[in-house]
Amino acid sequence: MERSDGEAAAKLAKLSAVAASSEDRISALPDDVILHILRQLRDSPVAGRTSVLSRRWCSLWALLPEVYFSGYTAPHHVAAAFAAHEAPVLQRIAVFVKDPPVDSLAAWLPIASRRLCGDLYFLNIVRRNGGPDEAGERGAFELPCFENATTISLHLGFLGLITPPTGVFAQLTRLHLDHFRIQGPCGLGDALSSPRCPSLRELTLSDARGLDNLTLHSESLLTVKLTKLRGLQRLTVVAPALKELTVFYCFANAPNLSQMVACISTPQLVSLEWSDAYDPMSVQLGGMSHLHCLGMSFYLVYGPNGFRTNSDCMGLLRHFKVICSLSFALIYPHVSSFFSYFELCSQYSMLA
Protein backbone atom coordinates (compact mmCIF):
# COMPACT_ATOMS: atom_id res chain seq x y z
CA MET A 1 0.00 0.00 0.00
CA GLU A 2 2.79 2.37 0.92
CA ARG A 3 4.57 1.53 -2.32
CA SER A 4 1.41 2.29 -4.27
CA ASP A 5 0.97 5.61 -2.52
CA GLY A 6 4.57 6.46 -3.23
CA GLU A 7 4.20 5.74 -6.96
CA ALA A 8 1.08 7.88 -7.13
CA ALA A 9 2.83 10.72 -5.38
CA ALA A 10 5.77 10.48 -7.78
CA LYS A 11 3.49 10.58 -10.82
CA LEU A 12 1.60 13.56 -9.39
CA ALA A 13 4.83 15.40 -8.79
CA LYS A 14 5.94 14.72 -12.36
CA LEU A 15 2.67 16.01 -13.82
CA SER A 16 2.87 19.11 -11.66
CA ALA A 17 6.37 19.78 -12.93
CA VAL A 18 5.21 19.51 -16.55
CA ALA A 19 2.27 21.81 -15.91
CA ALA A 20 4.52 24.34 -14.25
CA SER A 21 6.91 24.30 -17.16
CA SER A 22 6.65 27.17 -19.68
CA GLU A 23 7.10 24.73 -22.59
CA ASP A 24 4.16 24.79 -25.06
CA ARG A 25 4.42 21.61 -27.12
CA ILE A 26 1.47 22.49 -29.37
CA SER A 27 3.08 25.79 -30.28
CA ALA A 28 6.29 23.96 -31.04
CA LEU A 29 4.70 22.08 -33.94
CA PRO A 30 5.91 23.18 -37.40
CA ASP A 31 3.61 25.51 -39.31
CA ASP A 32 3.00 23.02 -42.10
CA VAL A 33 1.83 20.41 -39.58
CA ILE A 34 -0.54 22.88 -37.93
CA LEU A 35 -1.90 23.99 -41.30
CA HIS A 36 -2.46 20.38 -42.28
CA ILE A 37 -4.47 19.81 -39.09
CA LEU A 38 -6.56 22.94 -39.62
CA ARG A 39 -7.17 22.08 -43.26
CA GLN A 40 -8.78 18.76 -42.30
CA LEU A 41 -11.46 20.61 -40.32
CA ARG A 42 -13.02 22.02 -43.55
CA ASP A 43 -14.64 24.75 -41.48
CA SER A 44 -13.00 28.18 -41.37
CA PRO A 45 -14.81 29.49 -38.23
CA VAL A 46 -13.86 26.33 -36.32
CA ALA A 47 -10.28 26.63 -37.55
CA GLY A 48 -10.20 30.19 -36.25
CA ARG A 49 -11.48 29.13 -32.84
CA THR A 50 -8.62 26.65 -32.42
CA SER A 51 -6.44 29.66 -31.55
CA VAL A 52 -7.43 29.05 -27.92
CA LEU A 53 -5.17 25.98 -28.01
CA SER A 54 -1.99 27.88 -28.66
CA ARG A 55 -0.83 31.43 -29.12
CA ARG A 56 0.90 30.46 -32.38
CA TRP A 57 -2.35 29.23 -33.89
CA CYS A 58 -3.99 32.65 -33.71
CA SER A 59 -3.13 33.73 -37.25
CA LEU A 60 -2.34 30.45 -38.99
CA TRP A 61 -5.99 29.81 -39.99
CA ALA A 62 -5.76 32.91 -42.18
CA LEU A 63 -3.06 31.21 -44.28
CA LEU A 64 -5.19 28.21 -45.26
CA PRO A 65 -5.59 27.82 -49.06
CA GLU A 66 -9.22 26.71 -48.69
CA VAL A 67 -12.13 28.61 -47.15
CA TYR A 68 -15.25 26.87 -45.85
CA PHE A 69 -18.35 28.38 -44.24
CA SER A 70 -21.22 26.15 -43.20
CA GLY A 71 -24.87 27.15 -43.16
CA TYR A 72 -24.61 28.23 -39.54
CA THR A 73 -22.37 31.19 -40.29
CA ALA A 74 -23.90 34.67 -40.17
CA PRO A 75 -23.54 36.32 -43.62
CA HIS A 76 -21.69 39.38 -42.27
CA HIS A 77 -19.08 37.15 -40.63
CA VAL A 78 -18.11 35.78 -44.04
CA ALA A 79 -17.04 39.21 -45.29
CA ALA A 80 -15.07 39.88 -42.09
CA ALA A 81 -13.25 36.57 -42.41
CA PHE A 82 -12.26 37.25 -46.02
CA ALA A 83 -10.98 40.68 -45.04
CA ALA A 84 -8.75 39.05 -42.38
CA HIS A 85 -7.61 36.18 -44.57
CA GLU A 86 -3.99 36.49 -45.70
CA ALA A 87 -3.44 33.62 -48.16
CA PRO A 88 -2.49 35.18 -51.52
CA VAL A 89 -3.96 32.23 -53.43
CA LEU A 90 -7.13 30.28 -52.61
CA GLN A 91 -7.69 26.84 -54.10
CA ARG A 92 -11.29 26.35 -53.00
CA ILE A 93 -14.10 28.49 -51.55
CA ALA A 94 -17.31 26.94 -50.22
CA VAL A 95 -19.86 29.28 -48.64
CA PHE A 96 -23.25 28.03 -47.39
CA VAL A 97 -25.34 30.72 -45.70
CA LYS A 98 -28.99 31.36 -44.89
CA ASP A 99 -30.82 34.18 -46.71
CA PRO A 100 -27.84 36.52 -47.11
CA PRO A 101 -28.50 40.16 -48.02
CA VAL A 102 -26.98 41.06 -51.37
CA ASP A 103 -24.65 43.64 -49.81
CA SER A 104 -22.98 40.86 -47.80
CA LEU A 105 -22.14 39.06 -51.08
CA ALA A 106 -20.85 42.27 -52.62
CA ALA A 107 -18.50 42.63 -49.64
CA TRP A 108 -16.54 39.37 -50.06
CA LEU A 109 -16.94 38.29 -53.70
CA PRO A 110 -14.47 40.90 -55.07
CA ILE A 111 -11.84 39.74 -52.55
CA ALA A 112 -12.45 36.13 -53.53
CA SER A 113 -12.27 36.88 -57.25
CA ARG A 114 -8.75 38.32 -56.92
CA ARG A 115 -7.34 35.31 -55.04
CA LEU A 116 -9.22 32.25 -56.27
CA CYS A 117 -7.33 29.84 -58.52
CA GLY A 118 -9.70 26.90 -58.15
CA ASP A 119 -13.31 26.19 -57.28
CA LEU A 120 -16.12 28.38 -55.93
CA TYR A 121 -19.27 26.86 -54.41
CA PHE A 122 -22.03 29.05 -53.02
CA LEU A 123 -25.37 27.92 -51.62
CA ASN A 124 -28.11 30.24 -50.42
CA ILE A 125 -30.16 28.23 -47.92
CA VAL A 126 -33.54 29.91 -48.31
CA ARG A 127 -36.54 29.69 -46.02
CA ARG A 128 -39.09 27.11 -47.07
CA ASN A 129 -41.87 29.68 -47.28
CA GLY A 130 -39.80 32.05 -49.39
CA GLY A 131 -40.41 32.09 -53.14
CA PRO A 132 -38.70 33.62 -56.16
CA ASP A 133 -40.72 36.82 -55.90
CA GLU A 134 -39.72 37.35 -52.29
CA ALA A 135 -36.07 36.65 -53.08
CA GLY A 136 -36.16 39.10 -55.99
CA GLU A 137 -37.27 41.85 -53.67
CA ARG A 138 -33.97 41.56 -51.79
CA GLY A 139 -32.10 43.07 -54.71
CA ALA A 140 -29.25 41.92 -56.91
CA PHE A 141 -25.47 41.69 -56.76
CA GLU A 142 -22.85 41.86 -59.50
CA LEU A 143 -20.72 38.80 -60.00
CA PRO A 144 -17.12 39.97 -60.34
CA CYS A 145 -14.87 38.47 -62.97
CA PHE A 146 -13.01 35.43 -61.62
CA GLU A 147 -10.06 35.38 -63.99
CA ASN A 148 -8.42 32.26 -62.53
CA ALA A 149 -11.38 30.26 -61.21
CA THR A 150 -11.80 26.81 -62.78
CA THR A 151 -15.26 25.92 -61.40
CA ILE A 152 -18.10 28.21 -60.30
CA SER A 153 -21.29 26.76 -58.84
CA LEU A 154 -23.89 29.20 -57.51
CA HIS A 155 -27.23 28.15 -56.01
CA LEU A 156 -28.70 31.59 -55.39
CA GLY A 157 -32.19 30.97 -54.05
CA PHE A 158 -33.50 33.40 -56.71
CA LEU A 159 -31.33 36.32 -55.64
CA GLY A 160 -30.76 38.77 -58.47
CA LEU A 161 -27.58 38.22 -60.49
CA ILE A 162 -25.88 40.91 -62.56
CA THR A 163 -23.24 39.56 -64.92
CA PRO A 164 -20.02 41.60 -65.17
CA PRO A 165 -19.90 43.88 -68.22
CA THR A 166 -16.14 43.36 -68.71
CA GLY A 167 -13.41 40.87 -67.89
CA VAL A 168 -12.42 37.39 -69.06
CA PHE A 169 -13.00 34.17 -67.11
CA ALA A 170 -9.82 32.80 -68.65
CA GLN A 171 -9.53 29.51 -66.72
CA LEU A 172 -13.20 28.70 -66.15
CA THR A 173 -14.10 25.19 -67.36
CA ARG A 174 -17.34 24.46 -65.41
CA LEU A 175 -20.21 26.84 -64.59
CA HIS A 176 -23.41 25.91 -62.76
CA LEU A 177 -26.07 28.55 -62.02
CA ASP A 178 -29.16 27.39 -60.14
CA HIS A 179 -32.29 29.24 -58.88
CA PHE A 180 -31.20 32.65 -60.10
CA ARG A 181 -32.81 35.80 -61.45
CA ILE A 182 -30.98 37.69 -64.19
CA GLN A 183 -30.83 41.48 -63.93
CA GLY A 184 -28.67 44.24 -65.33
CA PRO A 185 -27.75 45.46 -68.81
CA CYS A 186 -25.19 42.77 -69.73
CA GLY A 187 -26.67 39.65 -71.33
CA LEU A 188 -25.78 36.31 -69.79
CA GLY A 189 -24.94 34.85 -73.19
CA ASP A 190 -22.42 37.62 -73.85
CA ALA A 191 -20.61 36.81 -70.62
CA LEU A 192 -20.54 33.05 -71.34
CA SER A 193 -19.48 33.06 -74.99
CA SER A 194 -15.94 32.32 -76.15
CA PRO A 195 -14.45 35.82 -76.08
CA ARG A 196 -15.01 35.98 -72.31
CA CYS A 197 -15.10 32.27 -71.38
CA PRO A 198 -12.55 30.76 -73.77
CA SER A 199 -12.04 27.54 -71.73
CA LEU A 200 -15.64 26.77 -70.73
CA ARG A 201 -16.45 23.07 -71.21
CA GLU A 202 -19.56 22.43 -69.11
CA LEU A 203 -22.49 24.80 -68.65
CA THR A 204 -25.60 24.16 -66.53
CA LEU A 205 -28.37 26.73 -66.14
CA SER A 206 -31.32 25.68 -64.01
CA ASP A 207 -34.46 27.38 -62.67
CA ALA A 208 -33.89 30.88 -63.97
CA ARG A 209 -36.09 33.96 -64.02
CA GLY A 210 -35.75 37.04 -66.21
CA LEU A 211 -33.85 35.24 -68.98
CA ASP A 212 -35.92 35.84 -72.12
CA ASN A 213 -33.04 35.65 -74.60
CA LEU A 214 -30.00 33.37 -74.41
CA THR A 215 -27.36 33.40 -77.14
CA LEU A 216 -24.27 31.22 -76.79
CA HIS A 217 -21.35 31.33 -79.23
CA SER A 218 -18.67 29.01 -77.92
CA GLU A 219 -15.76 27.18 -79.50
CA SER A 220 -14.99 25.22 -76.31
CA LEU A 221 -18.31 24.01 -74.88
CA LEU A 222 -18.80 20.24 -74.76
CA THR A 223 -21.88 19.93 -72.53
CA VAL A 224 -24.84 22.30 -72.10
CA LYS A 225 -27.81 21.63 -69.82
CA LEU A 226 -30.70 24.12 -69.78
CA THR A 227 -33.51 23.35 -67.34
CA LYS A 228 -36.62 25.39 -66.52
CA LEU A 229 -35.49 28.75 -67.85
CA ARG A 230 -38.86 30.38 -67.21
CA GLY A 231 -39.80 33.08 -69.68
CA LEU A 232 -37.24 32.08 -72.31
CA GLN A 233 -38.38 33.10 -75.80
CA ARG A 234 -35.23 32.99 -77.91
CA LEU A 235 -32.43 30.42 -77.71
CA THR A 236 -29.36 30.41 -79.95
CA VAL A 237 -26.56 27.90 -79.51
CA VAL A 238 -23.61 27.96 -81.91
CA ALA A 239 -21.07 25.48 -80.56
CA PRO A 240 -19.09 23.49 -83.14
CA ALA A 241 -17.50 21.18 -80.51
CA LEU A 242 -20.62 20.51 -78.42
CA LYS A 243 -21.31 16.81 -77.68
CA GLU A 244 -24.29 16.89 -75.29
CA LEU A 245 -27.27 19.26 -75.20
CA THR A 246 -30.26 19.17 -72.85
CA VAL A 247 -33.26 21.51 -73.12
CA PHE A 248 -35.84 20.70 -70.45
CA TYR A 249 -39.06 22.70 -70.01
CA CYS A 250 -37.64 26.06 -70.99
CA PHE A 251 -40.38 26.88 -73.53
CA ALA A 252 -43.20 24.51 -72.55
CA ASN A 253 -44.72 26.87 -69.98
CA ALA A 254 -44.29 30.03 -72.04
CA PRO A 255 -47.43 32.18 -72.21
CA ASN A 256 -47.14 32.50 -76.00
CA LEU A 257 -45.43 29.65 -77.85
CA SER A 258 -45.82 31.50 -81.15
CA GLN A 259 -42.96 33.79 -80.06
CA MET A 260 -40.63 30.88 -79.35
CA VAL A 261 -37.48 30.77 -81.51
CA ALA A 262 -34.61 28.31 -81.17
CA CYS A 263 -31.60 28.08 -83.48
CA ILE A 264 -29.18 25.26 -82.72
CA SER A 265 -25.92 24.81 -84.66
CA THR A 266 -24.01 21.89 -83.14
CA PRO A 267 -22.59 19.70 -85.94
CA GLN A 268 -20.65 17.40 -83.58
CA LEU A 269 -23.58 16.71 -81.25
CA VAL A 270 -23.81 13.10 -80.05
CA SER A 271 -26.62 13.30 -77.47
CA LEU A 272 -29.72 15.51 -77.55
CA GLU A 273 -32.43 15.61 -74.91
CA TRP A 274 -35.27 17.88 -76.01
CA SER A 275 -37.99 17.58 -73.38
CA ASP A 276 -39.73 20.75 -74.42
CA ALA A 277 -42.10 22.34 -76.89
CA TYR A 278 -41.17 21.69 -80.50
CA ASP A 279 -42.36 23.34 -83.69
CA PRO A 280 -40.30 22.81 -86.85
CA MET A 281 -41.20 26.31 -87.97
CA SER A 282 -39.62 27.93 -84.91
CA VAL A 283 -37.01 25.36 -83.84
CA GLN A 284 -34.06 25.01 -86.22
CA LEU A 285 -31.82 22.14 -85.15
CA GLY A 286 -29.40 22.25 -88.06
CA GLY A 287 -27.31 19.32 -89.22
CA MET A 288 -26.52 16.67 -86.59
CA SER A 289 -24.92 13.87 -88.58
CA HIS A 290 -23.14 12.46 -85.50
CA LEU A 291 -26.23 12.26 -83.29
CA HIS A 292 -26.47 8.91 -81.52
CA CYS A 293 -28.94 9.43 -78.65
CA LEU A 294 -32.25 11.30 -78.67
CA GLY A 295 -34.29 11.84 -75.52
CA MET A 296 -37.79 13.30 -75.35
CA SER A 297 -40.35 13.93 -72.63
CA PHE A 298 -43.37 11.62 -72.75
CA TYR A 299 -46.04 10.36 -75.11
CA LEU A 300 -49.68 10.00 -74.07
CA VAL A 301 -50.75 6.58 -75.36
CA TYR A 302 -54.47 7.37 -75.52
CA GLY A 303 -56.65 10.32 -74.69
CA PRO A 304 -57.91 13.47 -76.40
CA ASN A 305 -56.67 14.32 -79.86
CA GLY A 306 -54.24 17.19 -80.31
CA PHE A 307 -52.35 16.68 -77.07
CA ARG A 308 -49.42 19.11 -77.29
CA THR A 309 -46.67 16.84 -76.01
CA ASN A 310 -47.61 14.11 -78.51
CA SER A 311 -47.33 16.47 -81.45
CA ASP A 312 -44.00 17.75 -80.12
CA CYS A 313 -42.62 14.21 -79.94
CA MET A 314 -43.80 13.28 -83.43
CA GLY A 315 -42.49 16.51 -84.92
CA LEU A 316 -39.07 15.95 -83.35
CA LEU A 317 -38.93 12.35 -84.57
CA ARG A 318 -39.68 13.42 -88.14
CA HIS A 319 -36.63 15.67 -88.10
CA PHE A 320 -34.23 12.71 -87.89
CA LYS A 321 -33.93 9.93 -90.43
CA VAL A 322 -31.96 7.54 -88.21
CA ILE A 323 -31.69 7.41 -84.41
CA CYS A 324 -29.52 4.75 -82.78
CA SER A 325 -30.93 5.25 -79.29
CA LEU A 326 -34.33 6.75 -78.56
CA SER A 327 -35.71 7.30 -75.06
CA PHE A 328 -39.03 8.68 -73.85
CA ALA A 329 -41.83 7.78 -71.42
CA LEU A 330 -45.12 6.18 -72.37
CA ILE A 331 -47.97 7.45 -70.20
CA TYR A 332 -51.32 5.74 -69.82
CA PRO A 333 -54.15 7.76 -68.24
CA HIS A 334 -56.15 6.04 -65.53
CA VAL A 335 -59.63 4.97 -66.54
CA SER A 336 -61.27 7.93 -64.89
CA SER A 337 -63.40 10.96 -65.66
CA PHE A 338 -60.53 13.10 -64.41
CA PHE A 339 -58.08 13.39 -67.29
CA SER A 340 -55.36 14.87 -65.11
CA TYR A 341 -54.55 11.57 -63.38
CA PHE A 342 -51.65 9.93 -65.17
CA GLU A 343 -49.81 6.72 -64.55
CA LEU A 344 -46.28 6.29 -65.73
CA CYS A 345 -46.42 2.86 -67.27
CA SER A 346 -43.13 2.26 -68.95
CA GLN A 347 -39.97 3.74 -70.33
CA TYR A 348 -39.65 3.17 -74.03
CA SER A 349 -36.23 2.52 -75.43
CA MET A 350 -35.48 1.67 -79.03
CA LEU A 351 -32.18 0.62 -80.51
CA ALA A 352 -31.75 0.74 -84.26
Side-chain angles (χ1 to χ4, degrees), residues 145-179:
C145 181
F146 284 77
E147 294 183 359
N148 297 310
T150 55
T151 296
I152 296 178
S153 178
L154 306 178
H155 189 295
L156 296 178
F158 293 111
L159 289 176
L161 175 67
I162 302 173
T163 54
T166 59
V168 177
F169 294 78
Q171 305 300 321
L172 188 64
T173 60
R174 297 175 61 243
L175 176 63
H176 184 173
L177 298 179
D178 192 9
H179 287 78

Side-chain angles (χ1 to χ4, degrees), residues 267-301:
Q268 298 299 318
L269 200 68
V270 174
S271 175
L272 171 64
E273 180 180 347
W274 191 278
S275 297
D276 216 319
Y278 177 83
D279 184 338
M281 299 300 294
S282 57
V283 178
Q284 304 299 320
L285 294 180
M288 297 181 180
S289 59
H290 298 277
L291 192 69
H292 183 86
C293 302
L294 176 63
M296 303 184 299
S297 180
F298 64 87
Y299 189 92
L300 192 65
V301 176

Side-chain angles (χ1 to χ4, degrees), residues 99-106 122 124 131-143 156-162 179-184 209:
D99 288 326
V102 292
D103 57 349
S104 69
L105 298 179
F122 175 81
N124 176 16
D133 293 334
E134 179 182 340
E137 294 174 355
R138 296 200 295 272
F141 68 96
E142 181 176 317
L143 180 69
L156 296 178
F158 293 111
L159 289 176
L161 175 67
I162 302 173
H179 287 78
F180 64 102
R181 180 187 297 271
I182 284 292
Q183 297 184 20
R209 303 292 186 272

Side-chain angles (χ1 to χ4, degrees), residues 75-92:
H76 64 278
H77 289 163
V78 177
F82 270 99
H85 208 279
E86 300 176 6
V89 175
L90 295 174
Q91 299 172 0
R92 174 169 294 191

Side-chain angles (χ1 to χ4, degrees), residues 112 135 248 254:
F248 181 85

